[in-house]
Amino acid sequence: AFFGRFILRAFGVPTTARPSRGHGALCHAAAATATAASSSSSSDPPRLGWVVNLGGDWGAGYTKTRYGKDLDFLETTRARRHPLYERVK
């Protein structure tokens, strides 16, 4: 998982460790699906979503960040896309 994060970061892809019981895992940012991307104008930057790589699905891992559970990390990143996020914060 360490080398996978190293390679992804070398190509400028945001990534974070997401270990799960018994082995390391990671998740990385990926462009939104084609249907979601087509709804935005071409001048908008591509929206990113997080994809699990090298591990179980969401809920099976944890993070060594302030979030603790991987689902907390995922929901926080989804909330940041909302236009009211900056006003609340």
Side-chain angles (χ1 to χ4, degrees):
F2 169 78
F3 193 70
R5 289 193 318 270
F6 174 78
I7 295 298
L8 287 168
R9 287 180 180 151
F11 286 95
V13 178
T15 181
T16 187
R18 203 187 132 268
S20 56
R21 188 170 297 204
H23 64 85
L26 65 91
C27 62
H28 64 88
T33 60
T35 57
S38 64
S39 63
S40 63
S41 68
S42 60
S43 64
D44 292 338
R47 296 176 68 133
L48 297 178
W50 288 87
V51 179
V52 173
N53 193 2
L54 302 177
D57 205 7
W58 292 107
Y62 62 93
T63 64
K64 294 182 180 180
T65 63
R66 64 182 177 173
Y67 302 106
K69 297 180 181 180
D70 62 349
L71 289 174
D72 295 338
F73 170 78
L74 180 64
E75 289 303 318
T76 301
T77 58
R78 287 180 179 167
R80 289 180 182 190
R81 293 185 212 161
H82 197 280
L84 295 177
Y85 179 80
E86 289 297 321
R87 289 191 218 164
V88 172
K89 188 176 177 183

